[in-house]
Amino acid sequence: KTEVFDYGGVLRTITLTAVIVDTTADIATFVQNTLNPLINGNQVAITYVSDLIGTKKVKVLDWSFTWIEADPTRLVYTIRLVESA
């Protein structure tokens, strides 16, 4: 769980959505090795670089995914970042 406190300022949330098309086994590996560690509770701020908003320090707020068993080679996932110090 990531806790962010906003003392009188604006809280910026950045939402990233992506699609992976790969084997079911590789998608499972991606979820276990890449997405799950993002919410381990011990995260530090990371640098996010965007052409739109520049360089920001962020933490992962949460992530979610849509996986349909009828199409097991496709995963749509979303990561929500929150600007952090």
Side-chain angles (χ1 to χ4, degrees), residues 2 14-16 27-28 30-40 43 59-67 75-81:
T2 299
I14 302 164
T15 303
L16 308 171
I27 288 174
F30 174 77
V31 170
Q32 292 302 317
N33 295 344
T34 303
L35 294 180
N36 281 343
L38 293 176
I39 55 169
N40 67 9
Q43 65 175 301
K59 291 186 178 180
V60 176
L61 183 61
D62 61 22
W63 69 268
S64 61
F65 67 89
T66 302
W67 183 72
L75 178 80
V76 179
Y77 68 96
T78 300
I79 300 174
R80 288 192 322 147
L81 307 172

Side-chain angles (χ1 to χ4, degrees), residues 16 20 41 48 70 72 85:
L16 308 171
I20 293 178
Y48 172 73

Side-chain angles (χ1 to χ4, degrees), residues 1-5 59-61 82:
K1 180 177 181 182
T2 299
E3 294 185 28
V4 177
F5 297 95
K59 291 186 178 180
V60 176
L61 183 61
V82 64

Side-chain angles (χ1 to χ4, degrees), residues 17-34:
T17 301
V19 177
I20 293 178
V21 178
D22 208 333
T23 66
T24 303
D26 285 346
I27 288 174
T29 299
F30 174 77
V31 170
Q32 292 302 317
N33 295 344
T34 303

